[in-house]
Amino acid sequence: MRYLRSGPRRQAEETAVTRSKTIGLRSGEIADRNIRVILEAIRRHGPLTRTELGRHSGLTGPGITNILRRLSDGGLVTSHRRNGAGNSATATEFALRPDGAFSIGIRVRQSRGEAVLIDLSGQVHDREYFPLTPTTRVPSILSVTENMIGRHAGLPIIGLGIGSNDWTAAESDELDQASTLPTSHVENECTASLLAERTIGAPAPEGGLAMIIIDEDVQAGFLVRGIPYSGVHGRAGSIGEMLTGPDNIRLNTVVGFGALRTLVSEDEFGRLIAGEEPSSPQLTQWIRDAASHLLDPIIAMAGFIAPGVIMIGGDLPRSVIEALIHQLSVERRDTSKRPFLTPWISPMKPASFSGGGVALGAALLPFLNTLLPPVSA
């Protein structure tokens, strides 16, 4: 998986590109890397002139001109005169052409899915929610994907990304063999969510980012210097299995949707997942119980990783997540449950996108793997 590097060190890396990074690369690989670096500089900082691109990339003028010509021919960038810049050659600036490439992202859960179609800037052009069953996930996803392609015939859709915690290689093979799109790209839900935040969401905070996704289970992901951290065998972030709270109960059984379903009616739960904001004593009780148990892993994150911010996301309405965050602030000051006050925990806020941005992050995977620079760039 190739990811963009961001964070405090990015400015130094962009303005002081060293020759040692190209050692051992063939000329075609060097050219491919340079194209991606220029495209990413325009995407993040554009519109940019050739001179500004040189400062961001460390590449020479002739090299930048050749790359811009290729990107323009490929329909990925456009150019125009910068107002008030005079008549010099540097007056032409280059901007991303969002409709130059599109991608489809799928969030896969055991019983439901979400599909989005985005352009190169991350703008959503189509979204569909659909039911899933464990034995028919591939046919269902294939049907939704092909229908979405049909609704947007003629668009340059370059690939498909999957955000799932239990997607298998066999399912990828089955999907790729039947799909009209190139090979699919797969990441777990928290990593996909983090990629959406880093690429098109809020600016990356100093100290990194932690993401908590609440669904049937509870999971966490970590973004360190712009790179998702997954741990040994991808096990980092399995906080749902932790024993938490004063009663030492597994987090999934208190915070996961199974616990929420036991407290609220099926109708209220369905409305919550649909984005509505019903209010009831039972929902308030779940928020209190969830905060009481979720505080333990949040304290652990703050103590060991100290991220710049902890985001909480999932399919719950934003108002419910905000209420949960407020209750977490109340819980950390309640010494009747814990005989100590936590001196500091990371700031908390809701994820920038509905569903935690998992489908958006999945849709970014084809861009990150084919158009944008690898992490060493």
Side-chain angles (χ1 to χ4, degrees), residues 234-279:
R235 293 176 178 172
S238 301
I239 62 174
E241 299 303 314
M242 291 179 62
L243 299 179
T244 59
D247 46 5
N248 206 37
I249 294 178
R250 196 161 59 94
L251 188 64
N252 279 339
T253 63
V254 183
V255 183
F257 282 175
L260 181 56
R261 281 194 179 96
T262 63
L263 292 174
V264 303
S265 67
E266 195 63 33
D267 175 69
E268 184 175 0
F269 180 78
R271 289 161 60 198
L272 284 168
I273 297 303
E276 298 181 28
E277 302 179 0
S279 178

Side-chain angles (χ1 to χ4, degrees), residues 135-156:
T135 58
T136 61
R137 295 200 303 186
V138 172
S140 297
I141 291 169
L142 182 63
S143 175
V144 168
T145 301
E146 295 303 320
N147 288 339
M148 189 169 282
I149 293 172
R151 289 196 297 271
H152 302 275
L155 292 184

Side-chain angles (χ1 to χ4, degrees), residues 20-303:
S20 62
K21 290 184 179 180
T22 63
I23 292 177
L25 296 178
R26 295 186 294 271
S27 59
E29 293 172 326
I30 297 173
D32 179 63
R33 171 196 170 277
N34 290 343
I35 289 172
R36 296 183 183 199
V37 168
I38 291 295
L39 184 60
E40 174 62 2
I42 295 173
R43 196 191 66 80
R44 283 188 179 272
H45 308 290
L48 297 174
T49 65
R50 289 180 176 85
T51 300
E52 291 165 340
L53 281 168
R55 289 198 296 267
H56 282 287
S57 67
L59 300 177
T60 63
I64 291 173
T65 297
N66 290 333
I67 290 171
L68 290 172
R69 184 182 299 113
R70 292 182 61 179
L71 291 175
S72 297
D73 292 343
L76 299 178
V77 300
T78 184
S79 63
H80 58 274
R81 304 286 290 181
R82 177 173 292 180
N83 292 333
N87 297 319
S88 66
T90 58
T92 301
E93 61 182 9
F94 298 84
L96 184 74
R97 183 183 172 192
D99 60 355
F102 290 79
S103 176
I104 295 175
I106 308 286
R107 183 189 183 194
V108 179
R109 299 297 295 179
Q110 290 187 351
S111 60
R112 65 188 187 279
E114 176 188 0
V116 296
L117 173 71
I118 68 171
D119 63 26
L120 192 53
S121 70
Q123 179 70 35
V124 176
H125 290 257
D126 198 354
R127 174 180 269 119
E128 181 176 344
Y129 297 93
F130 55 98
L132 287 173
T133 62
T135 58
T136 61
R137 295 200 303 186
V138 172
S140 297
I141 291 169
L142 182 63
S143 175
V144 168
T145 301
E146 295 303 320
N147 288 339
M148 189 169 282
I149 293 172
R151 289 196 297 271
H152 302 275
L155 292 184
I157 301 176
I158 69 167
L160 172 69
I162 302 287
S164 173
N165 293 336
D166 58 358
W167 190 256
T168 66
E171 286 176 310
S172 286
D173 291 340
E174 182 182 351
L175 181 63
D176 292 342
Q177 289 174 9
S179 177
T180 59
L181 293 174
T183 302
S184 57
H185 307 271
V186 183
E187 272 295 352
N188 67 58
E189 291 188 47
C190 268
T191 297
S193 177
L194 289 166
L195 291 174
E197 288 290 346
R198 184 197 62 184
T199 308
I200 56 178
E206 182 178 358
L209 166 68
M211 175 69 72
I212 296 174
I213 299 290
I214 298 175
D215 205 284
E216 301 295 340
D217 52 4
V218 187
Q219 51 192 298
F222 310 98
L223 197 67
V224 182
R225 292 182 178 175
I227 305 172
Y229 176 77
S230 56
V232 178
H233 304 305
R235 293 176 178 172
S238 301
I239 62 174
E241 299 303 314
M242 291 179 62
L243 299 179
T244 59
D247 46 5
N248 206 37
I249 294 178
R250 196 161 59 94
L251 188 64
N252 279 339
T253 63
V254 183
V255 183
F257 282 175
L260 181 56
R261 281 194 179 96
T262 63
L263 292 174
V264 303
S265 67
E266 195 63 33
D267 175 69
E268 184 175 0
F269 180 78
R271 289 161 60 198
L272 284 168
I273 297 303
E276 298 181 28
E277 302 179 0
S279 178
S280 69
Q282 293 78 17
L283 179 59
T284 300
Q285 183 61 50
W286 176 83
I287 290 172
R288 290 174 179 167
D289 292 342
S292 177
H293 292 80
L294 195 56
L295 185 59
D296 284 344
I298 287 177
I299 291 173
M301 291 178 198

